[in-house]
Every structure is written in structure tokens, then in C-alpha cells.
Amino acid sequence: MTTLRSLGLALTLAASGLLSACTDDSLPDWEEPLPNPGQLDSDGDGVRDHADCAPHDKSRWRATSAFEDKDGDGWGTGDLQHACTGDVLSRGWASRTGDCDDTTNTRWRIMKDLYPDQDGDGATGQQPVEGCVGDPIIGYRERPGPSDCDDMDARFQGGYPTWPDSDGDGYGAGTLRTVCSGKPVPSGYATRDGDCDPANPGRTVGRYVPYRDADLDGVTVHAPGLLCIGPHEPPPPGYALLPSGDDCDDHDSMKRLMRDVYVDTDGDGFGTGTPEKQCTGLQPLQGKAFQGEDCAADDATRWQWRTYAYRDADGDGDTVPESGVVCGGASLPPGHATFPRGLDCDDKNAAVRVSWAVYPDEDGDGVGAGAVETKCAGSTIPSGYSATATDCAPVNASTWRMLTYAHRDADGDGSTVPQTGELCAGSALPQGYFTSARNADCDDTNAQLHTTRTSWADTDGDGVGAGEATQVCTNGQVPPPLSAVGTDCAADDATRWQQLAYAHVDRDVDGATTPEKGSVCAGATLPTPYFTQASGNDCDEADPARTRWVVLYPDHDGDGVGAEPRQVSCLGASIPSGWSVYGYDTNDNDPGTTADEESDLELELLLSI
């Protein structure tokens, strides 16, 4: 019972859904049934309104599914939709879908392998395409016709090819564009294809370059080809217009020439055996050599025969004459030489090599004597011998040569006398012998006497002599009673010995001097009355009471001031009565009248000056 009820409910819902579908406003020309249809058939099409999908259109009553067909060619497009139709589908609907062009009823199907002929001139495109067509086929042909250069214009069929020419050099590249015969070449296109550099007007088609140098070793191979370069542009690295050698391996810059090589076991650059051809570079490959005849195939230090003229068998650096050949390297091996080095006196003993002509040196001072002897020794003179034979004292090591001298100092006082001679000495003359003079010695037998001095007799013992000069041999100082000075002006007076100059005298010993120049024999200082400096101005050198010159004026009235005429008198310290040193008395007969006080002051100032 429950199952049947469920089934009845499902049928009821399905019927309700169908009715709802029939009243969908989205369907074209759909009519809503009356709210209470009952048993009505409004359009008389035999289908009651509640079941009629178009109750007011008797040509449509059946609800179905169809595809929209706008061009009415029987082929629809889009998704399957609800449709209200009669016995057959209404206009605008189709039971089939797949219309490739729903805007025209002349095309509805897709065909492959068609050739375009849109202008219907029989000329077609040359590549098969897929087209939307009807029946008959319009705008296409099932087989290709002549090539059509303009399929939209039946006047043009044949054409010529062009290619994009962006650099304007007359050569194009890229997608082919056919231009109808009779039409000009489009701007930016060229009728010649193959531009190798479309962005460079200086490069058009490939230029023939016959040689390659791929490994850039400077040696080429013949490998002709085309390069995208201008007619005057040099080829890039790795290419050449002219040959340069013939590279045997243009992929390896270390290999370029076919050469004969030899097996070089020791790696010294020289091989042995039969040569073989090998592609190599400036240097042979590892284990090979360009030169053969290695005289020591297992010794890298020797590879060629070399001649020698001298031998050094003991390796001491000195050679002896001996010629021959020996297997060597870049130079002769040790012990062989082309030129001599010394002359080995014993080439079997490395400790000796030099032949010395020497003399016995008994005292070991480095100088020998006697007959010459020949000794084979090392690089130095053998011990006990010397290269010279001039030892003047063969058994005395401190003297070995004759030295000359020109001066002697027998008493050792440091002063010499001329004397020449020769004696056996060492590195220098012995004490007391010299080649040049020292101070002249006046007595070389007495070390206390050595210097000659000029002297004078000093009778009074004042240290200054007089008389005839004599030469005395001294120790450097003139001994008493002699003097090194001979200018004593009073030889018998010890208090006087030198002449002293004076400029003033005071013979009356009054303390005032008068000018007088001369000299006098004296001691350390001038004696009285002689002076070098003035003291006053004595007006009478014979009278000690009078010492000065004074200007005097007569003073008749005794008032201390006189008047003209004046006179100059030689006086002592006092002024005589009736005289005055002042001479401005305006009235010399009146003691009460002299001059004004100011004049007195001026006069006193002048007199003081």
C-alpha cells in the first residue's frame, strides 16, 4: 500500500511539472491556461486547455524539446530547449542541431578539404580548408582550381609572390604574400625572398665565404658556405675569404698541422724510432716529439750527441785538454767543456788543481825566500810557501821587506834630523825611522834638547835681553840668563826694559799737564812726569804755583764784577785783588751797581760750561 501511494505521488508531481513547463513564460507564443480550465478547449484543436501548451493557437498544442533554428534551414544551434508545436515542429525550431551558420539557410554543414572560391571565378586558394556550406556548395570547390590572388574579386586570379621588407633593401623575409598580377608591390614588401638580416639594409642575401677557421687558430679549411654579411663587410672571426694553411683539425686549436712525430718516452722533446704522421700544433702531443735520434731515450736530461774539447774528471772546476763526443742535453754534461777553465795539474784529485810556482816561507810571514818550487795544490798557495821570494829576514816573521827612510830620531824626542838609508822591516818602518820630517832636531843625541831658539843676553835679569842675537839648542824654552826678546832699552837696569809712548808731561809736578808727545825707557808703566792722558792744561810747566789760564776783568769798585777790557792771565787757584772773572759790570765805579740778576745767572751758566 505504501509503495502504490508513493508511486501515485510521483506521477502527480510529474504531471504538475509538465503543466508548469507548458506555462513557462520563456517559451515563444506560450499561453497561460485559464485558472480553472475544467473541460474547455478554447482553440478547438481537440486538446483541452489544461493539457494544451498553446490553448488559444489551434496549430500548436504539443509540448516537446527542440533546437532554435533562426534561418529556417532545418538545422538548429545552441542547447536543447522546450518548444510548443503541432504535429510537426513550428517555424524557428529544429529537431537537429549543428548549424554552422544560423544566419542563412544556404549554409548549415561543415565540410573539410574544400578550396576557397569566394568570388566564384573558378580560381581557388591552394590550401585545403574547412568550410561552412549548404547544398549546393557555394564559395568553395571540392577540388583546387587555378591559384586565386584575390578571392573577393573575380577580375584577378594570377599573382606574384612578395615578402615583408622592413629594412627596405629590396629583399624580403617572413610570411609570403601573393599580390595580384597588375597590382603594384605593396609598401614594405619585396618581390625577392631570402633577406638574411631583415633589420639591416646593408645585408641582403648570404655571401659566399669559402674558408672556415672554427677553432680560431689562424689556419683554415676549405668549407664553402653563405654568411649574412654585406658585400664589403669582412667575415666574422672563424671565416675567411682567402686560405691560410690547411688545418688538419679545425675543431681543436691545438692541432693544425700534419707532421712527422717520434715516440718521446722521457719527455725531453726528442724521440726515437720510426716517424709517424700526426695532426698536431706548434708543440707535439704528450709523449711525442718532432725530432728523433734521442741518444738517451730514458733520460730526460740527455737527448743529443755533443762534442767536447776539455774534461774535468774530478769535478773541481778546472779542465785538462781531451776531445770526444758525449750524449748530453741543452749543454754538455758535467765534466765536459768546449772551452778551457784553468789547467788542472791533477784531474784525478778534486782537492788539487792549480800548479803553483812558490818559494819556501820558513817564518810564516807570507813572504818566501830561496829557490822556486812547483807545487800542485788547491785554489790557494800551499801552506809553508809564498808566491814571492823577497823576504829579507827568512827566519824572522816580524820583518820581511826592505824599506827606505829619509829622517832619524835617535834620541826619541819626536824631532828628526835628515838621514837616508834602507833597512829590513815589516809592515812599517821601526820606531825612530821616518820617510818625512818631524820638527827639526838641533841635537839628536839628547832627548832634552831638540829646538833651536834665537836668544839675547839678559844682564839685569828683567826677562828682556839686549845686544847681539845668538842661536841656542833648547827644550823649547830659552834658559836664563838668556831671553827670547832682545829689546831691553836699559840693559843694566832691571826696572826698565821697554820704550813706552807718552802724550802729556807734568814736569813741575803740580798735577796739571801740558801736551807733549814722545817715548821713554820704562818698566811696566810710564814713570813720573809722563802720562798718556791729560790732567788740566798747565799754563806754566816751570812754576807749580801757576796751573791754569784765566780770563780776568778789572774790578775798580771791588764789587766782585769787573768790566772791559779783559785779559788772559796764567794763575793758580786764587784770583788776584782788583780783578774778577765776571765782566758785565755796567758801572765799575759804583759798587752798588752791577747787572740784573738774570744776566748774572746766564753768565754763571756760561762760565760753568
Side-chain angles (χ1 to χ4, degrees):
M1 179 62 78
T2 303
T3 302
L4 290 177
R5 186 175 296 165
S6 298
L7 179 60
L9 179 59
L11 291 174
T12 301
L13 292 174
S16 298
L18 181 60
L19 291 175
S20 176
C22 290
T23 61
D24 192 347
D25 290 337
S26 64
L27 296 177
D29 302 327
W30 195 270
E31 296 183 8
E32 286 288 336
L34 295 174
N36 188 15
Q39 299 297 318
L40 292 178
D41 180 10
S42 301
D43 54 8
D45 57 5
V47 179
R48 292 182 179 86
D49 289 350
H50 71 273
D52 194 336
C53 59
H56 300 288
D57 184 355
K58 65 179 180 178
S59 65
R60 296 182 297 128
W61 62 83
R62 181 168 58 93
T64 187
S65 296
F67 299 93
E68 187 176 10
D69 180 16
K70 294 179 181 179
D71 56 6
D73 58 4
W75 291 84
T77 60
D79 296 330
L80 188 65
Q81 301 183 36
H82 296 294
C84 185
T85 68
D87 291 331
V88 296
L89 287 173
S90 302
R91 182 175 178 79
W93 297 94
S95 60
R96 297 174 296 182
T97 188
D99 194 337
C100 56
D101 186 352
D102 203 29
T103 62
T104 175
N105 58 9
T106 63
R107 295 194 301 270
W108 61 82
R109 57 179 176 150
I110 294 295
M111 287 189 67
K112 295 182 178 181
D113 298 328
L114 298 177
Y115 296 87
D117 182 15
Q118 298 298 315
D119 55 7
D121 60 1
T124 66
Q126 299 302 299
Q127 298 297 325
V129 299
E130 184 179 82
C132 181
V133 299
D135 192 10
I137 298 173
I138 300 174
Y140 295 91
R141 293 185 180 275
E142 296 186 67
R143 288 184 175 78
S147 178
D148 197 338
C149 67
D150 187 349
D151 202 31
M152 304 305 295
D153 192 338
R155 294 176 302 169
F156 300 101
Q157 295 181 356
Y160 60 90
T162 63
W163 293 268
D165 182 15
S166 58
D167 56 9
D169 58 5
Y171 286 84
T175 304
L176 170 68
R177 175 182 176 182
T178 301
V179 179
C180 294
S181 299
K183 290 185 177 182
V185 178
S187 177
Y189 281 80
T191 58
R192 292 177 293 185
D193 187 22
D195 194 337
C196 60
D197 191 348
N200 188 345
R203 296 177 178 176
T204 54
V205 295
R207 182 179 170 192
Y208 178 76
V209 178
Y211 298 97
R212 284 281 281 128
D213 180 15
D215 54 10
L216 301 176
D217 59 2
V219 184
T220 60
V221 295
H222 185 254
L226 298 177
L227 287 182
C228 186
I229 57 176
H232 304 293
E233 187 178 353
Y239 296 85
L241 299 174
L242 298 175
S244 176
D246 187 9
D247 200 329
C248 57
D249 186 347
D250 199 36
H251 299 289
D252 188 344
S253 62
M254 303 304 295
K255 298 178 181 179
R256 64 187 73 172
L257 303 172
M258 291 298 297
R259 296 189 60 173
D260 289 338
V261 296
Y262 300 84
V263 176
D264 182 12
T265 306
D266 54 10
D268 57 9
F270 287 79
T272 57
T274 303
E276 61 180 271
K277 293 290 184 182
Q278 189 175 68
C279 182
T280 182
L282 298 178
Q283 299 297 327
L285 301 180
Q286 183 71 26
K288 303 293 182 179
F290 291 147
Q291 301 184 58
E293 300 183 2
D294 192 338
C295 57
D298 297 324
D299 185 351
T301 64
R302 297 183 297 132
W303 59 83
Q304 58 184 333
W305 293 103
R306 305 186 70 96
T307 61
Y308 64 91
Y310 297 89
R311 287 280 285 123
D312 178 17
D314 56 7
D316 58 8
D318 281 2
T319 60
V320 295
E322 181 182 320
S323 60
V325 294
V326 63
C327 184
S331 59
L332 284 167
H336 302 77
T338 305
F339 301 100
R341 293 191 300 271
L343 181 60
D344 201 332
C345 56
D346 185 352
D347 201 35
K348 296 180 176 58
N349 183 357
V352 294
R353 54 184 172 139
V354 181
S355 181
W356 294 94
V358 292
Y359 303 87
D361 181 14
E362 296 181 34
D363 54 9
D365 57 9
V367 182
V372 65
E373 299 180 17
T374 300
K375 296 292 182 180
C376 185
S379 58
T380 58
I381 295 174
S383 178
Y385 291 87
S386 171
T388 58
T390 58
D391 197 337
C392 54
V395 295
N396 184 354
S398 63
T399 57
W400 61 84
R401 60 175 178 169
M402 298 299 295
L403 295 179
T404 60
Y405 60 90
H407 300 272
R408 286 280 285 121
D409 179 17
D411 55 9
D413 57 8
S415 298
T416 61
V417 295
Q419 181 179 332
T420 60
E422 184 181 41
L423 75 163
C424 186
S427 58
L429 285 168
Q431 185 69 28
Y433 294 86
F434 302 93
T435 57
S436 59
R438 302 313 192 247
N439 295 325
D441 198 335
C442 54
D443 186 351
D444 200 34
T445 62
N446 185 349
Q448 300 301 315
L449 300 176
H450 45 74
T451 303
T452 299
R453 293 282 187 251
T454 301
S455 61
W456 288 267
D458 182 15
T459 306
D460 55 8
D462 56 9
V464 181
E468 294 293 330
T470 59
Q471 301 297 315
V472 181
C473 187
T474 71
N475 63 355
Q477 302 294 327
V478 175
L482 299 174
S483 172
V485 181
T487 59
D488 197 336
C489 55
D492 297 327
D493 185 353
T495 63
R496 297 183 297 137
W497 60 84
Q498 61 180 339
Q499 288 290 129
L500 295 180
Y502 61 89
H504 302 273
V505 295
D506 181 18
R507 288 189 173 86
D508 56 6
V509 194
D510 57 6
T513 62
T514 186
E516 181 183 318
K517 292 184 178 181
S519 65
V520 64
C521 184
T525 60
L526 281 170
T528 303
Y530 301 98
F531 300 92
T532 58
Q533 299 292 329
S535 176
N537 186 10
D538 202 337
C539 57
D540 187 351
E541 190 61 33
D543 185 356
R546 296 192 296 167
T547 60
R548 59 176 179 155
W549 292 99
V550 181
V551 178
L552 297 178
Y553 297 87
D555 183 14
H556 297 294
D557 55 10
D559 58 5
V561 179
E564 294 289 350
R566 63 182 176 179
Q567 68 178 36
V568 179
S569 300
C570 182
L571 302 176
S574 61
I575 302 299
S577 178
W579 295 88
S580 174
V581 296
Y582 307 108
Y584 53 86
D585 197 335
T586 57
N587 186 355
D588 197 33
N589 294 316
D590 183 359
T593 303
T594 56
D596 57 64
E597 186 175 341
E598 183 177 349
S599 297
D600 287 342
L601 292 174
E602 290 178 355
L603 180 59
E604 289 180 3
L605 177 61
L606 289 172
L607 291 174
S608 66
I609 293 174

